[in-house]
Amino acid sequence: MTKISSFNVIMAALLVSSVTATQRNVPRLRLSYKDLLSTNRSSIFSGHHGQLTLTSVFLDEYRDRLFLGGKDVLYSLMLGPTSTESKELYWPPLPGNRENCIQTGKDPQTDCANFVRLLQPYNRTHLLACGTGAFQPMCAFVYVGHRGEHVFTIDPVNVENGRGKVPHDPSFRFASTFRGGELYTGLTADFLGRDSVIFRSMGGRSTMRTETDQKLLHDPKFIAAHVIPDNDDRDDDKVYFFFTEKASEPGDREGAIHTRVGRVCANDVGGQRVLVNKWSTFIKARLVCSVPGPHGIDTHFNQLEDVFLLRTKDERNPDVYAIFSTISNVFQGFAVCVYRMADIREAFNGPFAHKEGPDYQWGAYEGRVPYPRPGVCPSKITNQPGREFGSTKDFPDSVLQFARSHPLMWRPVFPALRRPVLVQANIPHKLQQIVVDRVEAEDGHYDVMFIGTNVGTVLKVITIQNGNSLETEEVTLEELHVFKVPTPITSIHISVKRQAIYVGSPAGVAQVKLHRCETYGKACAECCLARDPYCAWDGFTCAQYTPNNKRRYRRQGIRHGNPALQCVDQNLSDVDVTEDDVVYGTENNSTFLECVPRSPQASVSWLVQRDDRKEEVKLDDRVMATEQGLLFRHLLHEDEGVYICRSREHGFSQTLVRLSLQVLQGDAVDELMSRDNAGFSDSIKERSAGSYRAWMPCTAYRSGTSSHSRLWFKDIVQMIGPSNLPHVEEYCERMWCNDKLRRKHKSMLEKYRQAQESARKARSKSSGERNRMPRDLKARDV
Ligand SMILES: *[C@@H]1O[C@H](CO)[C@@H](O)[C@H](O)[C@H]1NC(C)=O
Ligand SMILES: *[C@@H]1O[C@H](CO)[C@@H](O)[C@H](O)[C@H]1NC(C)=O
Ligand SMILES: *[C@@H]1O[C@H](CO)[C@@H](O)[C@H](O)[C@H]1NC(C)=O
Ligand SMILES: *[C@@H]1O[C@H](CO)[C@@H](O)[C@H](O)[C@H]1NC(C)=O
Ligand SMILES: *[C@@H]1O[C@H](CO)[C@@H](O)[C@H](O)[C@H]1NC(C)=O
């Protein structure tokens, strides 16, 4: 077994950075788009014409179907166990509307089409679909048939006015929910996008809306709407809206925004003399998501990005998961806060915010609140003999007046434990969408969060409470590169039944399985280190954990991820590599010993063994540890020895690689090069024939500020000759940093990888199957 690896040096330099220990926010596993497709973890649908401008999704768990809305188009996907069958409907704007839209100066591509924004189940056979209709919102009923049949038709003539159901402008956010044949929507409902309002439409009752008043809604952006019952009395059902708006409270600078939870009673029919067909039960409270900062000043995350209701057996008390952001010139941060319904109700049952006049301070209203208290629904409780308030039309004028002037509650809603469950700051992407799955594990339940970013990735994250302390540990289990190119994720839906998420982006929709335990490895220790609540070691493999399975071996260590505890009687030595590979290097030249742990969270250390004595490798300018392995920039004869790469994660160490490094003199190299060695010769010849430069990484050269890059820069100079120093920069730019060469790097890397793969196969054939870590080079920066 031989291997020449000095030319990997450049690859290593691509990723030069000091080896770092466990880091916050570093995912335990990164899975590329290709990884996900090749393991059947993910599949992508991007429409029948290769491009789907996805604007709405409805996951129909009962029918096992996924309905998609796009630009002038609707899709129905039948979600089978293996394949997916799709049907398409063309649904353009009504005749003439596209032309009218263009005439008003709107953009023909991004405005003047029918962007389908709303897909809701309507009755047992039909969906309600609403689209922007080229700035003329319209709705139609889509026939989808009963469970089991795959029918999908629309009557394009029989459309209804969609005003108040979806915004005119396809780029505006809105939120809606359907209950009892009626649609509740928070949106801007006019052509100019100025009329911000909560609407109720459809069904038999007259349309309801909020009064136009900045006290009620001040430039709101609606994020989510949900019906959440208060008790068994359906008359007490309330519709909750989650939105941001301009702050009116004191202490906030001009233009500050706050996040609100607002609600109306589902049976609100407005007042008799005042508030006719206007909400009489609308109240709102502030949602706070903040972390304590230095000097007692909290960092507030005010901008709501997404809301997910984690429903439990108790339908009255779902957990409200919300992503927030705060973005300024100096700081970009994201947080996930969880709210309990009990805390939201308590704020609504507390004092109203009150201001005596424009020159007064805000405070808690301390006067007498009229009966029935604003925000209370007409129900069994209000409809007692002697005090008969069976409908909001029976409410006294004093109640309606008070409701109109006091929509805001004095006390804000704080998250559970008064702090976010997750905070990420100054990360290179934005967190935009969230769904959560509550998973039973060996030591209790875990809420697994799937968080969509603006760059086409989904993060699978858990937070672990350490003992009784408030300290939480965030663990990013996986970073899934769901889409081929960076694209903002605009929706995520979860099907616990199908154990999958459906991830929407302008590029299409991806079905991604919640877990794939085999990915973590073939040993108990690796399964334990994964800390994935979905997975456990069953004695033979890393497999899905099922709570009621009575198998004897079931090992899971989410809280501590400590395989030494969990896998004590399992064969730990299985994962250790015991055999040596031989690597040749040339004296006075550079050489690279590759070693990549499966998890970026593992820390790597190098030992060298000479005459049965092991010692740590001394690192300096000449011998550097990189993310991909050990780099000798200038090999000396005394470097010979057996190099042992060990990884450490959560106190668990294992040997990943043992390499016997042999240092050759010049002549020996020439001899070796002439041998055809497992397909390596081409690459070597290419390099020795003077195309060394083609291997040079633009990226490594460009990020020229870190000390490592500077070292690398020195290597470049050495290679092209010091006399040209002033021109090096220009030269590098021209030689290495153009697209053609970038492509060439790529194809060379591909060739190299194939050669390595076949060499690996040859090796494992000759040495028998050994359980070891993959050592493929990753071309992340090329
Ligand atoms: C993925 O699915 C295809 C078709 O069902 C199957 O042939 C293939 O073996 C699967 N691949 C893996 C890695 O499971
Ligand atoms: C569902 O609603 C549509 C549209 O109003 C109607 O045509 C259809 O008959 C309804 N179906 C059922 C089963 O009620
Ligand atoms: C553990 O693995 C080693 C090497 O694969 C093997 O020799 C040994 O018998 C195994 N021990 C047990 C208890 O399975
Ligand atoms: C490094 O190795 C390459 C290829 O074997 C050779 O062309 C080059 O001259 C060597 N450099 C030094 C400084 O020995
Ligand atoms: C390596 O460099 C040293 C001194 O710089 C020199 O004596 C030696 O001959 C060189 N070895 C080879 C193989 O070039």
Side-chain angles (χ1 to χ4, degrees):
M1 276 184 306
T2 55
K3 180 174 155 199
I4 298 262
S5 73
S6 65
F7 59 86
N8 311 19
V9 167
I10 293 103
M11 297 302 97
L14 276 178
L15 301 149
V16 161
S17 80
S18 57
V19 175
T20 50
T22 307
Q23 268 176 9
R24 250 166 103 90
N25 304 342
V26 174
R28 172 112 213 308
L29 210 61
R30 278 199 180 96
L31 295 174
S32 71
Y33 173 75
K34 269 193 183 158
D35 292 338
L36 294 174
L37 290 189
S38 66
T39 54
N40 290 345
R41 176 87 181 266
S42 151
S43 58
I44 307 254
F45 178 78
S46 36
H48 288 177
H49 316 288
Q51 225 222 327
L52 170 64
T53 315
L54 188 72
T55 46
S56 53
V57 176
F58 167 56
L59 174 63
D60 190 334
E61 295 255 45
Y62 173 71
R63 291 189 184 85
D64 282 323
R65 282 164 79 176
L66 190 67
F67 296 100
L68 309 176
K71 184 183 178 181
D72 298 330
V73 73
L74 289 162
Y75 283 102
S76 163
L77 310 188
M78 192 68 131
L79 303 170
T82 51
S83 68
T84 301
E85 179 192 313
S86 62
K87 283 190 189 310
E88 185 191 61
L89 286 176
Y90 178 56
W91 190 30
L94 290 175
N97 285 355
R98 194 189 299 274
E99 293 71 21
N100 289 346
C101 176
I102 294 167
Q103 263 171 22
T104 62
K106 302 281 178 200
D107 187 292
Q109 290 305 317
T110 58
D111 295 326
C112 301
N114 183 33
F115 294 93
V116 180
R117 299 293 306 277
L118 183 141
L119 288 168
Q120 293 268 2
Y122 183 69
N123 62 23
R124 285 172 57 186
T125 50
H126 285 73
L127 296 187
L128 172 68
C130 300
T132 59
F135 267 75
Q136 297 267 1
M138 59 173 179
C139 296
F141 295 102
V142 183
Y143 179 59
V144 296
H146 293 276
R147 193 186 145 95
E149 49 180 343
H150 197 185
V151 291
F152 195 49
T153 57
I154 192 170
D155 181 356
V157 183
N158 206 354
V159 299
E160 293 196 354
N161 192 334
R163 205 183 163 113
K165 301 185 182 83
V166 291
H168 293 61
D169 190 324
S171 68
F172 283 12
R173 280 193 86 153
F174 79 110
S176 68
T177 185
F178 207 68
R179 176 194 175 272
E182 293 175 309
L183 185 69
Y184 296 79
T185 318
L187 81 171
T188 51
D190 61 333
F191 184 89
L192 294 174
R194 289 185 187 152
D195 185 21
S196 298
V197 60
I198 292 173
F199 252 111
R200 183 175 68 205
S201 52
M202 309 187 66
R205 300 189 279 188
S206 57
T207 299
M208 292 282 293
R209 59 164 294 155
T210 30
E211 256 192 321
T212 309
D213 181 350
Q214 291 193 341
K215 245 193 211 144
L216 298 169
L217 297 169
H218 194 179
D219 285 348
K221 197 165 102 185
F222 289 96
I223 306 297
H226 294 284
V227 180
I228 304 170
D230 251 4
N231 49 49
D232 292 337
D233 186 355
R234 286 285 82 89
D235 275 340
D236 227 1
D237 281 2
K238 295 177 177 86
V239 184
Y240 289 82
F241 286 88
F242 298 88
F243 59 100
T244 59
E245 67 172 347
K246 289 221 173 98
S248 52
E249 291 97 319
D252 278 301
R253 61 194 158 72
E254 193 64 26
I257 60 155
H258 281 175
T259 289
R260 307 278 191 214
V261 52
R263 72 174 202 204
V264 293
C265 292
N267 65 358
D268 192 339
V269 290
Q272 187 68 30
R273 284 172 297 276
V274 265
L275 292 179
V276 177
N277 293 332
K278 308 252 169 69
W279 300 111
S280 63
T281 57
F282 176 73
I283 48 176
K284 63 184 179 180
R286 181 175 178 191
L287 284 181
V288 171
C289 184
S290 65
V291 287
H295 318 299
I297 300 165
D298 292 358
T299 299
H300 278 272
F301 298 85
N302 281 331
Q303 175 74 54
L304 182 65
E305 299 288 339
D306 193 29
V307 169
F308 179 79
L309 241 54
L310 180 62
R311 304 221 179 236
T312 57
K313 283 201 193 81
D314 179 3
E315 60 163 356
R316 293 163 304 172
N317 289 303
D319 282 341
V320 180
Y321 272 81
I323 296 190
F324 294 83
S325 66
T326 176
I327 295 168
S328 71
N329 296 337
V330 290
F331 181 74
Q332 165 173 302
F334 297 86
V336 175
C337 278
V338 188
Y339 301 92
R340 309 254 182 262
M341 283 311 295
D343 295 332
I344 293 177
R345 291 192 183 104
E346 196 180 300
F348 284 133
N349 291 335
F352 292 90
H354 179 73
K355 199 169 157 151
E356 204 61 51
D359 299 330
Y360 287 79
Q361 296 274 312
W362 282 95
Y365 181 75
E366 280 162 355
R368 202 187 71 84
V369 176
Y371 182 87
R373 181 188 153 94
V376 167
C377 306
S379 65
K380 283 196 196 81
I381 295 159
T382 59
N383 200 13
Q384 306 280 340
R387 294 182 131 189
E388 285 159 18
F389 301 109
S391 151
T392 54
K393 288 206 163 138
D394 304 331
F395 283 5
D397 284 357
S398 60
V399 168
L400 304 182
Q401 305 285 13
F402 189 91
R404 187 188 221 173
S405 56
H406 295 88
L408 181 65
M409 308 315 298
W410 172 241
R411 288 196 197 120
V413 184
F414 291 101
L417 303 174
R418 284 234 166 193
R419 54 157 57 226
V421 292
L422 181 138
V423 177
Q424 300 205 340
N426 294 329
I427 46 174
H429 49 253
K430 295 179 177 170
L431 307 185
Q432 306 199 139
Q433 294 284 323
I434 185 169
V435 295
V436 184
D437 187 18
R438 185 157 289 173
V439 183
E440 284 306 318
E442 190 86 355
D443 55 355
H445 69 74
Y446 290 87
D447 288 354
V448 182
M449 295 177 264
F450 294 87
I451 299 174
T453 70
N454 64 330
V455 292
T457 56
V458 170
L459 310 175
K460 177 173 161 186
V461 186
I462 54 171
T463 61
I464 294 165
Q465 203 76 37
N466 284 325
N468 295 325
S469 75
L470 277 178
E471 280 299 297
T472 55
E473 184 188 358
E474 296 166 13
V475 185
T476 303
L477 303 169
E478 297 183 292
E479 181 182 282
L480 310 171
H481 291 247
V482 175
F483 294 100
K484 197 172 181 176
V485 291
T487 176
I489 285 170
T490 51
S491 67
I492 309 184
H493 293 77
I494 185 166
S495 168
V496 174
K497 174 181 158 190
R498 305 185 64 82
Q499 291 284 291
I501 49 171
Y502 296 88
V503 185
S505 82
V509 64
Q511 171 180 283
V512 183
K513 289 180 189 142
L514 301 180
H515 47 80
R516 192 171 179 283
C517 301
E518 306 96 290
T519 311
Y520 293 122
K522 292 195 173 70
C524 178
E526 293 170 304
C527 196
C528 265
L529 282 174
R531 305 173 85 185
D532 188 330
Y534 289 112
C535 303
W537 179 253
D538 67 1
F540 307 99
T541 57
C542 195
Q544 186 180 359
Y545 175 82
T546 40
N548 300 317
N549 189 340
K550 293 275 184 287
R551 272 175 102 153
R552 209 151 60 89
Y553 288 109
R554 243 180 354 167
R555 303 302 156 88
Q556 210 179 30
I558 297 152
R559 210 163 288 279
H560 308 291
N562 186 346
L565 284 175
Q566 299 292 327
C567 304
V568 69
D569 55 348
Q570 301 290 298
N571 204 338
L572 276 182
S573 64
D574 259 359
V575 294
D576 275 357
V577 171
T578 48
E579 224 172 302
D580 298 357
D581 278 351
V582 180
V583 175
Y584 293 108
T586 341
E587 193 176 2
N588 295 345
N589 219 327
S590 48
T591 281
F592 183 64
L593 305 182
E594 190 187 347
C595 176
V596 186
R598 193 189 293 268
S599 163
Q601 285 190 355
S603 62
V604 166
S605 61
W606 285 91
L607 301 175
V608 59
Q609 182 176 343
R610 291 189 195 98
D611 314 324
D612 288 338
R613 247 197 23 242
K614 269 189 212 165
E615 58 184 38
E616 209 157 308
V617 175
K618 285 191 199 68
L619 301 175
D620 52 27
D621 270 9
R622 193 178 65 81
V623 185
M624 293 160 59
T626 76
E627 262 180 36
Q628 304 281 299
L630 196 63
L631 173 63
F632 293 84
R633 296 173 62 243
H634 183 92
L635 196 60
L636 302 178
H637 188 71
E638 51 266 38
D639 289 328
E640 274 200 350
V642 175
Y643 286 80
I644 301 157
C645 169
R646 294 187 64 76
S647 79
R648 188 176 177 85
E649 193 176 6
H650 281 273
F652 174 71
S653 306
Q654 70 185 108
T655 299
L656 303 183
V657 175
R658 284 175 61 98
L659 297 167
S660 168
L661 176 64
Q662 310 214 343
V663 179
L664 305 175
Q665 313 288 312
D667 310 349
V669 179
D670 292 340
E671 191 212 321
L672 261 168
M673 299 265 273
S674 60
R675 277 165 45 187
D676 189 73
N677 196 330
F680 280 111
S681 59
D682 274 0
S683 310
I684 295 166
K685 277 177 198 146
E686 204 158 321
R687 195 199 60 157
S688 53
S691 50
Y692 211 151
R693 267 174 244 118
W695 284 89
M696 292 305 301
C698 293
T699 39
Y701 157 69
R702 270 193 174 162
S703 56
T705 47
S706 81
S707 62
H708 289 310
S709 303
R710 250 179 282 134
L711 283 177
W712 188 246
F713 192 75
K714 261 163 52 189
D715 288 348
I716 295 172
V717 176
Q718 253 169 29
M719 250 176 291
I720 70 165
S723 58
N724 283 323
L725 193 56
H727 306 295
V728 164
E729 204 148 318
E730 191 195 313
Y731 183 79
C732 294
E733 194 69 37
R734 214 174 51 234
M735 283 304 292
W736 305 323
C737 302
N738 62 46
D739 283 347
K740 205 174 131 199
L741 273 160
R742 253 187 253 274
R743 278 198 299 278
K744 193 165 174 194
H745 292 163
K746 245 189 190 151
S747 74
M748 286 173 102
L749 258 182
E750 199 49 50
K751 246 195 240 164
Y752 167 72
R753 219 183 273 117
Q754 282 164 7
Q756 222 199 13
E757 179 62 18
S758 56
R760 195 188 57 76
K761 278 192 189 135
R763 269 207 307 276
S764 59
K765 220 182 246 163
S766 63
S767 67
E769 268 312 324
R770 274 183 297 138
N771 194 353
R772 54 184 299 168
M773 292 292 190
R775 302 201 281 130
D776 294 1
L777 266 173
K778 294 196 179 77
R780 265 178 284 172
D781 292 338
V782 179

